[in-house]
Amino acid sequence: MTVLGISCWYHDSAAAIVRDGEIVAAAQEERFTRRKHDAGFPTHAVAYCLSKAGIRAEDLDAVAFYDKPLLKFERLLETYLSYAPRGLGSFIKAMPLWLKQKLWIPDLIKRELGLEDRESPMPLIFPEHHESHAASAFFPSPFSRAAFLTTDGVGEWATTSWGTARGNALQIHGEIHFPHSLGLLYSAFTYFCGFRVNSGEYKLMGLAPYGEPRYVDIIREHLIDLREDGSFRLNMDYFTYAAGLTMTGRAMEELLGFPRRQPEAPLAQRDMDLARSIQEVTEEAVVRMAHHVHRETGETKLCLAGGVALNCVANGRLLREGPFDDIWIQPAAGDAGGALGAALMAAHHWGNEPRTAASGDGMQGSYLGPAPEEEDIKTALAGLPIETFATDAEVVARTAELLAEGQTVGWFQGRAEFGPRALGHRSILADARGREVQRKVNLQIKFRESFRPFAPSVLAERADEFFDLGGVKEEKGETPEASGDASPYMLLVGPVRDAKIEGEGLERLTSIDSAVPAVTHVDGSARVQTVTKARNGIYYDLLKAFEARTGCPVLVNTSFNVRGEPIVGSAEDAVRVFRRTHMDALVIGRHVVTKAAMPESEQDAFTPEEIAAEYGLD
């Protein structure tokens, strides 16, 4: 049985294809169209998935869409009526798209897939939004049974759901409904701090360690009623998202005593304190919900998905503090992963496909996207001074040499990652021991804010030497290797061992004392990717080669793109970013090109103004 899953028309549209319960391919539309968070129908992603499966659309057994459009429309109408006449502008803006497009999704899907004239109707399956998230969390997980917790902005009505899953079935036991949303609470503070909603939440999380939790009491007293079981209600007097086109208004400014920060304005200490405060409240809510789910279900494993599951700091607390013995997080936890969850839900629930928990997990390292053809690589590199190697081992050795010399390397190998993280196939890499690396890569290559941290990739067998990810496992006396592979998808934050940081606010950036300062954040933590040979292949080999040269098994790993741009999708994209940044070297397949070997006429680096003009604010 082959099922195509689709998510679109909100943000991060994507497609995934599942055959006999196994994931064949998954991709986000933005990687093809070069529009970040592209919300349109995932035409290119669908074409790629069908091609990878070797079939045409008419050969599919079913198509699954990641939510129920009519139920979502009901929520919109009820909300607008509840707040009328406020929200009229938002209503007028939203309705044409619903009336012309979103209410006709079955017809649109058939038309986009060319199935209008198919003799027998194609089954179209519509799981609920949080069922899709739950399915994406449990079915690829390594667990035969587990509890699940999904938390995001909003689906149809649900903003949080929890339940249990076993074999090929899952069941939702509880929900929290709109407008009470942990995801939208976090997005409201993202907006208030001057960052873009549905994009800047990462920035807010990265900003939090620079601040102090000075606003926690105000948030807890006025904005959220957080109960012992993790359930909550928001005081909607302070939020405008239910009826407007903004997240907060004058009431929030009066409560906090200062105006919303304008985008790109200088960061003030109060912005950092707000970030730290909402991060602490969010973590507390997640931890309380997890304890409630644990008590109610009696399960020992927990699966997570939904946008809030990308909050790596909260995830790290769950792993270290329990109450679950183990957790697994869907690497594409946001709406893109809904396409995969919908396909898995259709296969296992509607199609009754049996499901066996995979060893490790079923995500194949999240390397589910397209791989470049050799001809496309050669075309993209045409005219450049290329070094070409005969074997993977040789190109790995050359790349490790460049990294050990302190050079930054664009690394483009194999199938692309599915989800927001670069996991060693579409990455910019550097030596984690370099003290100037964080500043150089932020300002000269990524063209982004200087406060943002970088994540480390580390050999799983040596992860415990540098990072404390052991948590509950370590306390139970399990081997370091078992805890060392705890974070294969860069979704857990843990302490960097022996890190020392002094100072306040942004000055902390200059006083990091750590064995790997380029990946140590100002609170002494790191968002870790643990790397194994079985899951990561040639990327593991590169880390081993770097370790052999330097003794250090850790590299800086950040996504291969510039600010505001999706992660590179093609070899042509990679060459363009290499040419227009201050990156030192580019490695695509077995080909290496260095800036030192290129004539200056071939180098044309972006200015920050050109980045903003081409991609806009992220």
Side-chain angles (χ1 to χ4, degrees):
M1 178 181 181
T2 305
V3 182
L4 175 71
I6 293 171
S7 62
C8 61
W9 292 314
Y10 188 50
H11 58 81
D12 296 304
S13 65
I17 200 160
V18 172
R19 176 181 286 150
D20 299 332
E22 301 292 326
I23 304 167
V24 176
Q28 292 141 273
E29 186 69 2
E30 65 166 25
R31 307 295 165 86
F32 302 93
T33 64
R34 313 308 301 152
R35 293 191 293 271
K36 198 165 187 178
H37 306 301
D38 194 335
F41 187 87
T43 304
H44 301 86
V46 167
Y48 156 68
C49 288
L50 292 172
S51 173
K52 189 66 182 175
I55 61 173
R56 300 169 300 174
E58 53 263 44
D59 300 322
L60 291 164
D61 295 298
V63 177
F65 191 73
Y66 79 132
D67 66 16
K68 292 183 182 297
L70 293 180
L71 202 54
K72 183 177 285 186
F73 189 62
E74 172 194 287
R75 187 251 299 167
L76 288 174
L77 287 180
E78 286 195 21
T79 302
Y80 284 129
L81 288 173
S82 299
Y83 286 87
R86 285 188 292 157
L88 180 62
S90 174
F91 180 82
I92 291 173
K93 184 175 181 179
M95 282 307 105
L97 189 61
W98 274 96
L99 296 175
K100 292 179 181 178
Q101 196 174 61
K102 293 184 177 180
L103 288 177
W104 308 98
I105 284 176
D107 293 335
L108 286 170
I109 290 175
K110 289 176 186 173
R111 187 168 70 234
E112 293 284 353
L113 296 180
L115 298 173
E116 293 164 301
D117 300 325
R118 182 172 140 142
E119 291 185 4
S120 59
M122 171 69 72
L124 295 177
I125 315 299
F126 293 86
E128 287 193 20
H129 188 90
H130 275 253
E131 284 181 325
S132 294
H133 278 320
S136 77
F138 174 67
F139 290 128
S141 80
F143 309 141
S144 58
R145 58 182 293 170
F148 63 82
L149 177 62
T150 64
T151 311
D152 66 0
V154 62
E156 296 87 0
W157 281 100
T159 65
T160 296
S161 73
W162 62 272
T164 53
R166 185 174 186 174
N168 69 346
L170 60 84
Q171 183 175 9
I172 292 176
H173 295 279
E175 292 181 338
I176 296 173
H177 282 185
F178 182 87
H180 309 292
S181 165
L182 193 60
L184 290 177
L185 173 67
Y186 204 86
S187 291
F189 278 81
T190 300
Y191 171 83
F192 197 88
C193 288
F195 302 124
R196 187 176 173 185
V197 172
N198 289 328
S199 177
E201 284 78 2
Y202 300 125
K203 296 184 184 182
L204 195 70
M205 186 171 62
L207 186 65
Y210 294 94
E212 300 297 332
R214 295 189 172 97
Y215 297 97
V216 166
D217 290 343
I218 291 178
I219 294 170
R220 293 289 303 277
E221 183 177 345
H222 296 279
L223 300 182
I224 181 171
D225 175 16
L226 179 59
R227 297 157 188 173
E228 197 55 40
D229 64 358
S231 64
F232 57 84
R233 289 183 66 82
L234 302 186
N235 183 349
M236 296 307 295
D237 291 343
Y238 294 98
F239 301 95
T240 57
Y241 59 77
L245 299 171
T246 59
M247 299 299 292
T248 62
R250 185 173 300 172
M252 182 73 86
E253 293 182 342
E254 291 176 350
L255 174 69
L256 296 173
F258 54 90
R260 172 190 174 234
R261 173 181 173 260
Q262 293 302 304
E264 303 301 296
L267 284 164
Q269 186 60 47
R270 67 192 186 197
D271 304 315
M272 304 173 205
D273 295 341
L274 270 185
R276 172 71 179 275
S277 301
I278 193 60
Q279 177 63 33
E280 290 208 358
V281 172
T282 300
E283 290 173 30
E284 186 60 28
V286 170
V287 169
R288 289 191 187 192
M289 285 192 283
H291 277 275
H292 175 71
V293 173
H294 183 258
R295 284 193 300 270
E296 293 294 315
T297 66
E299 297 291 343
T300 59
K301 317 288 187 190
L302 178 67
C303 298
L304 298 167
V308 177
L310 294 172
N311 193 307
C312 312
V313 183
N315 297 340
R317 278 194 60 183
L318 279 182
L319 183 70
R320 289 192 301 276
E321 299 175 16
F324 289 92
D325 290 351
D326 205 354
I327 65 175
W328 191 85
I329 308 151
Q330 165 57 239
D335 277 6
L340 175 60
L344 290 166
M345 192 73 185
H348 292 302
H349 267 228
W350 179 78
N352 201 31
E353 289 271 5
R355 179 247 179 195
T356 302
S359 175
D361 61 54
M363 286 299 292
Q364 304 163 46
S366 213
Y367 303 131
L368 299 168
E373 299 289 340
E374 183 64 19
E375 283 306 310
D376 293 335
I377 295 174
K378 290 180 177 176
T379 299
L381 293 171
L384 296 176
I386 308 166
E387 303 170 56
T388 296
F389 297 90
T391 67
D392 286 347
E394 289 174 336
V395 78
V396 161
R398 174 65 172 132
T399 307
E401 179 186 27
L402 292 168
L403 290 165
E405 291 171 353
Q407 302 200 35
T408 52
V409 175
W411 175 253
F412 188 104
Q413 300 289 335
R415 295 182 70 179
E417 298 90 342
F418 180 55
R421 307 293 187 219
L423 298 168
H425 278 197
R426 303 288 184 274
S427 297
I428 296 171
L429 307 174
D431 187 343
R433 301 168 302 167
R435 294 199 170 276
E436 294 301 317
V437 167
Q438 192 263 0
R439 179 176 174 79
K440 176 185 176 183
V441 177
N442 262 338
L443 299 181
Q444 297 182 7
I445 297 175
K446 304 280 284 187
F447 297 98
R448 68 183 196 182
E449 300 91 336
S450 62
F451 72 84
R452 297 178 65 180
F454 288 114
S457 294
V458 58
L459 292 171
E461 62 268 27
R462 293 192 62 189
D464 283 331
E465 296 176 35
F466 292 84
F467 309 103
D468 179 8
L469 294 174
V472 174
K473 288 179 176 178
E474 198 167 53
E475 291 168 8
K476 290 187 172 184
E478 295 182 8
T479 63
E481 287 77 15
S483 62
D485 191 26
S487 186
Y489 299 113
M490 204 183 276
L491 288 169
L492 293 171
V493 165
V496 178
R497 296 196 188 277
D498 303 321
K500 297 176 183 174
I501 293 96
E502 297 179 345
E504 293 185 354
L506 294 174
E507 71 181 30
R508 291 177 183 169
L509 267 176
T510 61
S511 62
I512 296 173
D513 182 7
S514 159
V516 282
V519 295
T520 302
H521 203 7
V522 296
D523 60 349
S525 71
R527 178 165 51 86
V528 179
Q529 180 196 9
T530 48
V531 177
T532 65
K533 176 66 176 175
R535 182 180 286 110
N536 305 101
I538 191 172
Y539 188 45
Y540 176 88
D541 295 338
L542 177 60
L543 277 161
K544 286 293 287 184
F546 183 73
E547 177 196 37
R549 284 182 173 272
T550 66
C552 178
V554 186
L555 285 173
V556 173
N557 176 8
T558 186
S559 56
F560 197 154
N561 60 345
V562 295
R563 181 182 185 182
E565 180 195 32
I567 296 174
V568 296
S570 66
E572 183 182 359
D573 296 334
V575 171
R576 176 179 44 77
V577 172
F578 172 64
R579 283 178 183 270
R580 305 216 60 187
T581 67
H582 297 281
M583 199 182 301
D584 298 310
L586 171 66
V587 181
I588 305 183
R590 294 176 178 172
H591 310 285
V592 176
V593 56
T594 64
K595 281 279 172 60
M598 286 174 61
E600 286 192 10
S601 59
E602 293 287 342
Q603 304 177 34
D604 183 21
F606 281 117
T607 65
E609 291 75 20
E610 287 173 326
I611 292 285
E614 185 155 349
Y615 299 111
L617 299 177
D618 59 347

